[in-house]
């Protein structure tokens, strides 16, 4: 390393340290990473879905137009969630949870089957709603409110476990009843993560994890197609035309992309070889078109979100904000890890979208609202509200000066 590089490295580290010491660092990290992920997601949904949309709807833009509508709605919801006082959000927690459970229950009566999962409700205009996606945010907020109210008693395991585990477990069981094991797995990860954040002792934590494992094994064992996927993911070539088909073509896409990729729009797998190219396996298309470099950018942005969420949870003095930030971070990272592991062949294929990237209106909408809530939590960090107010005052003064 040259002397110039040695001098430059400490300077970069020092600049990064000063940046992170700013009161609004977490706020800006969440805002910037979310905006970049949504923008990249829309571009890649257009690229990955264009062929399928042309064949199905005679319009290459049909799918990305739907995604754009939900993105706009999600941004509007995020703005509201970022501005509304947290005390009002806490008042809405129980109605949100009950409403979500009611919508999940409605899928058993009037639900729409998609790929074997009865977890959709039909909406006017050809749109569909997936209530189980909203269960993720509803459970995060409900658990955060519960633990914030019980903050003084969380040293007693009974107050950590009840009624959180029975109620959250029942919601997850409803989702499993829809045959949506992927979303249920995220909910189980959320339950386990929140118990850990609340400080549940190792003995009780081990019992809960063991119980979740037994439940998952039971639901996998009772579905032949899940058993086939479970035993096939270690060797997809053993059944290349059925259980291993999607995993094989996902890896082919990643291998063809190399480091630099074949160029935006140049994927071959999206022409019909790779099922769910614009939804669950969009990372494979990113790897093929944008290469390893593009996938690393996605991973880096997700790591930035995780870092910001952990930073908010560790710095805020508001218990509700702390548990909410931790819950949202656990949810998004668990879902991201499952999706990425699935595409890379490290986990069985279970339909689950990559947050903020994959096509899926319900997923994008609720995730953007969750990002708005996370921004709201970031404002509870020391000095954040004053810095925001000062920034608004400076911008208002600048507008007045330009007019005059």
């Amino acid at each position: 390393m040259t002397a110039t590089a040695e001098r430059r490295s400490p300077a970069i580290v020092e600049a990064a340290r000063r940046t992170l010491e700013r009161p609004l660092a977490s706020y800006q990290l969440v805002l910037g990473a979310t905006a970049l992920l949504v923008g990249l997601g829309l571009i890649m949904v257009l690229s990955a879905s264009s062929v399928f949309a042309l064949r199905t709807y005679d319009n290459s833009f049909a799918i990305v137009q739907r995604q754009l509508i939900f993105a706009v709605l999600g941004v509007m919801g995020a703005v509201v969630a970022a501005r509304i006082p947290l005390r009002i959000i806490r008042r809405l927690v129980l109605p949100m949870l009950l409403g979500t459970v009611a919508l999940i229950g409605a899928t058993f009566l009037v639900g729409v089957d998609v790929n074997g999962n009865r977890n959709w409700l039909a909406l006017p205009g050809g749109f569909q709603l997936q209530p189980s996606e909203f269960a993720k945010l509803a459970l995060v907020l409900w658990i955060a409110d519960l633990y914030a109210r019980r903050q003084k008693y969380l040293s007693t395991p009974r107050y950590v476990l009840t009624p959180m585990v029975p109620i959250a477990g029942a919601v997850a069981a409803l989702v499993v009843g829809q045959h949506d094991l992927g979303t249920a797995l995220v909910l189980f990860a959320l339950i386990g993560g929140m118990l850990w954040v609340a400080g549940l002792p190792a003995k009780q934590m081990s019992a809960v994890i063991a119980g979740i494992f037994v439940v998952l094994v039971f639901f996998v064992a009772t579905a032949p197609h899940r058993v086939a996927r479970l035993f096939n993911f270690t060797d997809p070539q053993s059944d290349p035309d059925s259980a291993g088909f999607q995993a094989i073509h996902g890896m082919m896409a990643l291998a063809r992309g190399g480091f630099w990729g074949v160029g935006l729009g140049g994927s071959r797998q999206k022409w019909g070889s790779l099922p769910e190219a614009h939804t669950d396996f969009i990372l494979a298309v990113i790897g093929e078109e944008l290469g390893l470099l593009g996938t690393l950018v996605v991973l880096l942005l997700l790591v930035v979100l995780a870092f910001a969420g952990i930073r908010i949870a560790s710095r805020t003095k508001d218990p509700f904000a702390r548990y909410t930030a931790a819950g949202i971070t656990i949810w998004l990272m668990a879902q991201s890890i499952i999706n990425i592991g699935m595409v890379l062949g490290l986990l069985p294929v279970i339909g689950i979208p990559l947050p903020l990237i994959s096509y899926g209106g319900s997923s994008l909408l609720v995730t953007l609202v969750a990002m708005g809530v996370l921004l709201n939590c970031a404002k509870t960090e020391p000095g954040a509200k004053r810095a925001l107010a000062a920034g608004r005052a400076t911008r208002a003064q600048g507008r007045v000066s330009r007019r005059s």
Side-chain angles (χ1 to χ4, degrees), residues 312-326:
I312 294 167
S314 61
R315 285 168 55 88
T316 181
K317 304 300 181 183
D318 186 327
F320 176 72
R322 178 167 63 252
Y323 290 118
T324 299

Side-chain angles (χ1 to χ4, degrees), residues 104-137:
I104 293 175
T107 61
F108 292 95
L109 301 175
V110 293
V112 178
D113 284 329
V114 177
N115 294 331
N117 295 345
R118 192 178 180 84
N119 55 353
W120 300 84
L121 293 175
L123 297 178
F127 291 94
Q128 292 179 335
L129 185 72
Q130 188 176 2
S132 57
E133 288 291 338
F134 295 86
K136 300 171 185 175
L137 180 58

Side-chain angles (χ1 to χ4, degrees), residues 22-47:
R22 296 166 57 187
L24 290 177
S26 301
Y27 186 96
Q28 292 164 343
L29 286 174
V30 172
L31 189 62
T34 301
L36 290 173
L37 284 169
V38 172
L40 177 61
L42 289 171
I43 293 171
M44 293 313 303
V45 166
L46 171 59
S47 178

Side-chain angles (χ1 to χ4, degrees), residues 181 210-223 226-227 230:
L181 191 59
I212 291 174
F213 178 77
V214 170
V215 170
L216 289 174
V217 169
F218 170 77
F219 284 114
V220 169
T222 54
R226 291 177 187 149
V227 174
L230 179 64

Side-chain angles (χ1 to χ4, degrees), residues 101-181:
V101 170
L103 289 174
I104 293 175
T107 61
F108 292 95
L109 301 175
V110 293
V112 178
D113 284 329
V114 177
N115 294 331
N117 295 345
R118 192 178 180 84
N119 55 353
W120 300 84
L121 293 175
L123 297 178
F127 291 94
Q128 292 179 335
L129 185 72
Q130 188 176 2
S132 57
E133 288 291 338
F134 295 86
K136 300 171 185 175
L137 180 58
L139 276 180
V140 166
L141 296 176
W142 178 76
I143 296 171
D145 178 64
L146 176 69
Y147 284 166
R149 288 188 284 107
R150 293 187 169 188
Q151 181 67 26
K152 297 180 181 179
Y153 308 101
L154 293 182
S155 57
T156 304
R158 177 167 62 90
Y159 289 102
V160 178
L161 291 167
T162 58
M164 192 277 263
V165 171
I167 293 178
V171 174
L174 284 174
V175 174
V176 172
Q178 299 176 315
H179 307 294
D180 188 359
L181 191 59

Side-chain angles (χ1 to χ4, degrees), residues 396-404:
Q397 185 176 3
R399 287 193 293 268
V400 171
S401 300
R402 286 193 297 270
R403 289 171 185 167
S404 60

